[in-house]
Amino acid sequence: MASMRDIKRRKASIQSTSQITKAMKLVSTVKLQKAKGRAEQSKPYFNKMYETVSGMLAHSSPSGSLFRKEKESGEPAKKGIIVITSNRGLAGGYNSNVVKLITQGEFDSENSIIYPLGRKGMESLQRQGFTCKGDYSEVMNHPMFSDAVAIGKTIMADLESGEIDEVYLAYTVFKNTVTQVPTLIKVLPFSADDGESQEEEQEKTQGPVAIMNYEPEEEETLGYIIPLYMNSLIFGALTEAVASENGARMQAMDSATSNAEEMIDTLGLQYNRARQAAITQELTEIVAGASAIS
C-alpha cells in the first residue's frame, strides 16, 4: 500500500487537474454558445449551395468547363484535400477522427496535397508522409469569410494550373452539443454518375429535379459561380468545425472532471485506510512496549 504522503501528494495533483478541466469546460461552453449560433445560421445556405452547384457541375459538359477536366486512363488524379481540425488538443477524438478520413480512405501520400486548417491535423498528416501546402492555422482562432476567400483563391489557382485535379473537404459536421460527425465531401469536379446518384436521392426526398439551363453561356456562368461556391463551402465548414471543436472539448473536459472526482474519492478512501492502519500499528506497538516493560 502507498504511504499517506504519496496518496496525499497524488490527491492534491488530481485536485489541481480537476480545477483546470472545470475551467476549460466553462470556457468551451461559452465559446460553444456563440459558435453554435453561427453554425446553425450558415448550415441551410451551406447545404443548399452544395446541393445546387454540385448538381450544376454534374450536368455541365466536360469540354465546357475547366473544372471538369478528365485525366488520361491509367494516370492517377492529384487530389487536394482541405482538412479542418483544431490548433489545440484536449478535445477527445475530434482531430484524430478527421485525420482518419484521409489516412484510412482512398487517399495516398504520393498523389495528395493537404491544405491544412488547424495545426493538429497538419502535424498528424505530416508525420504520416502527406504533403501539406501552406499553414492556415491562424484562421481557426476566429474564422471570417475573407479567410475562406483567400484559401479558395489558392485552391482555384492550383486547380487551374493543373497542380491538383480534384478537391475534397474534410471537416466535422455539428449535429448538436453531444454529436459531431467527421465528414468528407467532394467539392470539384463532379461526374455524370455523381449527378445521377444525387438526383435519385433528391427525387426521393424533394420530388423531380428541374432541367438545368444556363444564361449566359455555360462556361461563363460556371466561371463566376464556382469560386463563390468554393468560398461558401469553406466558410460553412469552418463555422461547423469551430462549433464541433468546442462541443467535443466541452464533453472531453466534462468527462475528465468526472474521472478526476472519482479518483479523488478513491484516493480519499485509500488515505483513510492507510491512516487507520498507521494508527492501529502505533497502538499495537505501544501495547506491546507496555507489556514488555511490565
Side-chain angles (χ1 to χ4, degrees):
M1 181 181 291
S3 65
M4 288 191 294
R5 180 181 296 178
D6 292 338
I7 295 172
K8 192 173 183 180
R9 186 183 297 117
R10 189 180 178 195
K11 184 178 178 180
S13 175
I14 295 174
Q15 285 174 333
S16 177
T17 301
S18 176
Q19 291 175 351
I20 294 172
T21 56
K22 281 181 181 178
M24 292 185 68
K25 177 189 173 183
L26 291 174
V27 171
S28 297
T29 302
V30 173
K31 289 184 176 180
L32 175 61
Q33 297 307 315
K34 297 179 181 178
K36 180 181 177 182
R38 295 185 71 189
E40 290 176 345
Q41 289 176 358
S42 65
K43 186 187 288 288
Y45 178 78
F46 174 89
N47 291 338
K48 183 57 69 174
M49 172 67 79
Y50 180 72
E51 176 187 312
T52 303
V53 180
S54 60
M56 291 173 59
L57 296 175
H59 291 86
S60 63
S61 59
S63 60
S65 175
L66 168 68
F67 309 107
R68 290 199 59 208
K69 296 183 296 182
E70 300 291 337
K71 297 290 288 184
E72 297 180 4
S73 60
E75 184 180 357
K78 196 75 173 178
K79 298 175 181 179
I81 313 151
I82 307 166
V83 180
I84 304 179
T85 56
S86 68
N87 291 331
R88 298 180 296 143
L90 299 176
Y94 170 76
N95 293 307
S96 60
N97 289 337
V98 176
V99 171
K100 285 178 184 177
L101 293 174
I102 313 303
T103 57
Q104 297 181 5
E106 58 182 10
F107 306 100
D108 61 86
S109 57
E110 293 182 1
N111 297 302
S112 300
I113 296 177
I114 306 298
Y115 298 87
L117 281 69
R119 193 171 295 112
K120 289 298 180 180
M122 179 178 68
E123 292 172 352
S124 296
L125 290 168
Q126 283 179 334
R127 284 196 296 269
Q128 300 190 51
F130 284 85
T131 300
C132 293
K133 184 172 182 179
D135 182 2
Y136 305 99
S137 301
E138 294 302 320
V139 171
M140 300 308 299
N141 294 331
H142 185 66
M144 300 179 66
F145 189 75
S146 57
D147 298 322
V149 172
I151 297 165
K153 285 182 179 179
T154 300
I155 295 169
M156 295 300 294
D158 291 347
L159 194 62
E160 292 177 12
S161 66
E163 187 172 351
I164 57 176
D165 304 301
E166 300 176 0
V167 182
Y168 294 82
L169 179 60
Y171 68 108
T172 306
V173 174
F174 179 79
K175 292 289 186 183
N176 52 54
T177 305
V178 297
T179 306
Q180 302 88 33
V181 183
T183 303
L184 177 71
I185 61 173
K186 187 176 184 181
V187 179
L188 289 170
F190 282 88
S191 65
D193 293 337
D194 295 327
E196 288 175 3
S197 60
Q198 190 180 60
E199 279 188 5
E200 291 175 359
E201 185 66 26
Q202 188 174 348
E203 285 180 358
K204 291 178 182 178
T205 58
Q206 302 178 15
V209 180
I211 298 174
M212 191 70 64
N213 291 316
Y214 291 96
E215 185 179 346
E217 295 299 322
E218 177 182 315
E219 187 170 358
E220 182 180 352
T221 303
L222 294 178
Y224 177 76
I225 290 176
I226 287 176
L228 298 177
Y229 159 76
M230 177 74 73
N231 300 339
S232 299
L233 287 190
I234 294 173
F235 181 69
L238 281 171
T239 58
E240 295 252 0
V242 170
S244 298
E245 176 191 348
N246 286 294
R249 182 168 290 111
M250 187 185 74
Q251 282 184 279
M253 292 302 99
D254 181 58
S255 178
T257 302
S258 298
N259 292 337
E261 290 173 351
E262 289 179 6
M263 292 179 68
I264 290 169
D265 292 340
T266 301
L267 289 171
L269 290 173
Q270 291 179 3
Y271 180 83
N272 291 334
R273 287 170 183 165
R275 183 170 174 269
Q276 184 178 6
I279 293 171
T280 302
Q281 183 177 356
E282 289 178 5
L283 290 174
T284 302
E285 291 174 354
I286 291 171
V287 170
S291 300
I293 292 172
S294 61

